[in-house]
Amino acid sequence: MKHILLITAWMPLSALAADLDTVYFYQTPTPELASTHSSQAYTNPLPAPDTSNLEPDGTPKNTQAGASTEAASRAYGRYSVPFTAKRVSAAVTSAVSSDSNAYLSASFPYSAIGKLTFQVGGISAHCSASVILKSVIVTAAHCMQDYGAGADRFDSHVFRPASYEGSSPYGEWTPLAAVWPNTWTKGTEVGSGSAVDNDLAVMILAKNASGQFISDLVGGHLNYGWNNYSFINSKRTGNIWTAAVTTLGYPGLLDEGAIMQRSDGPSYLTTIADAHQIYQGSTFTGGSSGGPWVVNFGYENPSFSDGSGVGHKAKANVVIGVTSWGSADPNQPKDNYSSQFTQNKRYPKADYGGFGAGNIAALLNTACSKKPRGSTQTFKQLGYCDQ
């Protein structure tokens, strides 16, 4: 189902000529919608393609992988098998009582991940999302609108970081603006069915009533990477591209989507009908859409000694994709897929305004270069897009 989103879309004539992505500016949602916690898990409505003959990718890469901030924990060394090493400790938070089951999800980096609710034809639905800049979240394009829906978009988006059984320890955050690929809007993506190149979207969140950015409250933000940061190809990985990935979100068939879930395991690169994909084994289902795929996930790095140190591709909490789709049957084959955050046909450049390469950087640059209503400065100049 589709619903007209009560927003104003702004795009200059030059953008029309260049077929650029549109930044959508949001009106303030009505209070009754902002306070709604009950929602249905939203699933990518596009049909899953046939994956019976799917094979992982072992071909050489001609793009340079990168991530948004500096180093952290070891990702892989000369042994060439990816992993994550983090100190077993937790960030301190006063948002939730220390004896509550919700305490872990309210501590960083979990606190930078949350439930994204919205209205689809008058029905409340939810996806997942994560904070990747000072006041910017990333999610899936199919949580914004149906594929090829043109001007019909979902409305009343609200982000609730660290949501736990209906509670919102860090409040409810509404978007000022959002952008996703116009190839999604037009239904012209590279791919087949739900496997497409660019099922991702970014949203800039408004400050709260106290004038704070969301990362000021939740303890920080995750980083983001491009060109499949932290993947390694070696004979010890069967000469296929492999990464140790943590996936998080609110799948509807696990605890009824009320509690954040975490899945860990190896992930692999592949192409489906020329669409660049990442895949993994998973129990995640609808509602986890838009949730982050993270390499080097964890709170705190150990103190190295006796010559030990970080390995390659070792930056912390780097989002390299978001949940896009899986098999329609939740019991088999238990799979999960993401569009790669990478350079591709639609987003070929190695740099977009200093935000990095490929689709994720292009969307961030497009959104952050726009000015909020009534401002003479851009979102980037105003600090919304700070690291």
Side-chain angles (χ1 to χ4, degrees):
M1 290 187 294
K2 303 173 183 176
H3 195 70
I4 299 297
L5 181 62
L6 299 177
I7 59 175
T8 298
W10 176 84
M11 183 166 65
L13 292 177
S14 58
L16 286 170
D19 199 30
L20 299 179
D21 300 321
T22 302
V23 175
Y24 299 95
F25 293 90
Y26 287 75
Q27 303 285 356
T28 303
T30 57
E32 59 269 21
L33 291 178
S35 62
T36 299
H37 289 281
S38 177
S39 60
Q40 297 181 5
Y42 190 71
T43 301
N44 190 336
L46 293 175
D50 179 14
T51 59
S52 58
N53 296 316
L54 183 74
E55 293 185 0
D57 191 359
T59 58
K61 300 297 177 188
N62 57 9
T63 53
Q64 181 67 41
S68 54
T69 60
E70 288 308 313
S73 104
R74 182 176 299 174
Y76 60 82
R78 292 180 62 186
Y79 192 68
S80 298
V81 175
F83 63 93
T84 294
K86 290 288 186 178
R87 183 181 293 168
V88 180
S89 59
V92 177
T93 179
S94 59
V96 173
S97 172
S98 60
D99 61 359
S100 168
N101 287 338
Y103 188 85
L104 180 60
S105 62
S107 64
F108 188 81
Y110 294 98
S111 55
I113 300 149
K115 182 179 288 189
L116 181 67
T117 59
F118 49 95
Q119 295 284 305
V120 182
I123 298 173
S124 182
H126 82 262
C127 282
S128 304
S130 59
V131 186
I132 58 169
L133 290 175
K134 192 76 171 179
S135 197
V136 179
I137 61 174
V138 63
T139 188
H142 74 259
C143 301
M144 301 288 106
Q145 67 172 173
D146 286 337
Y147 185 66
D152 290 347
R153 307 175 187 95
F154 308 148
D155 63 11
S156 305
H157 286 84
V158 178
F159 180 62
R160 298 178 173 88
S163 176
Y164 190 94
E165 292 189 332
S167 68
S168 298
Y170 296 106
E172 301 174 346
W173 300 77
T174 55
L176 292 173
V179 62
W180 56 93
N182 69 348
T183 44
W184 180 271
T185 298
K186 295 178 179 179
T188 57
E189 276 285 339
V190 170
S192 173
S194 50
V196 299
D197 254 350
N198 301 297
D199 184 9
L200 71 160
V202 297
M203 307 181 81
I204 298 179
L205 302 179
K207 296 179 184 179
N208 65 8
S210 299
Q212 297 168 299
F213 292 116
I214 187 170
S215 61
D216 294 331
L217 267 69
V218 302
H221 61 79
L222 308 180
N223 301 307
Y224 64 93
W226 52 88
N227 292 336
N228 303 305
Y229 181 83
S230 201
F231 278 80
I232 178 70
N233 175 326
S234 75
K235 64 181 181 181
R236 292 189 178 90
T237 65
N239 293 315
I240 58 177
W241 290 95
T242 312
V245 176
T246 298
T247 307
L248 303 106
Y250 291 82
L253 296 186
L254 303 181
D255 292 316
E256 298 182 339
I259 299 174
M260 187 189 305
Q261 308 290 329
R262 171 178 174 174
S263 179
D264 296 88
S267 295
Y268 307 93
L269 306 180
T270 193
T271 55
I272 299 175
D274 295 326
H276 299 77
Q277 302 283 287
I278 313 171
Y279 72 94
Q280 61 179 200
S282 179
T283 55
F284 279 16
T285 57
S288 62
S289 292
W293 292 40
V294 190
V295 293
N296 305 326
F297 182 78
Y299 168 55
E300 210 169 36
N301 301 310
S303 297
F304 293 99
S305 59
D306 294 332
S308 179
V310 298
H312 303 285
K313 310 303 181 189
K315 298 176 184 178
N317 297 316
V318 179
V319 180
I320 48 91
V322 296
T323 297
S324 175
W325 63 280
S327 297
D329 186 335
N331 291 311
Q332 55 181 342
K334 291 194 180 299
D335 55 356
N336 201 12
Y337 292 81
S338 167
S339 298
Q340 295 175 20
F341 285 6
T342 191
Q343 291 171 255
N344 56 37
K345 181 179 180 180
R346 176 66 181 82
Y347 301 101
K349 295 183 181 180
D351 180 72
Y352 287 91
F355 287 97
N359 45 16
I360 181 63
L363 295 180
L364 288 171
N365 183 51
T366 297
C368 293
S369 64
K370 295 298 184 286
K371 299 175 182 178
R373 296 178 184 278
S375 176
T376 59
Q377 295 181 296
T378 65
F379 285 112
K380 182 178 180 179
Q381 291 170 326
L382 292 169
Y384 287 85
C385 303
D386 287 354
Q387 288 287 345

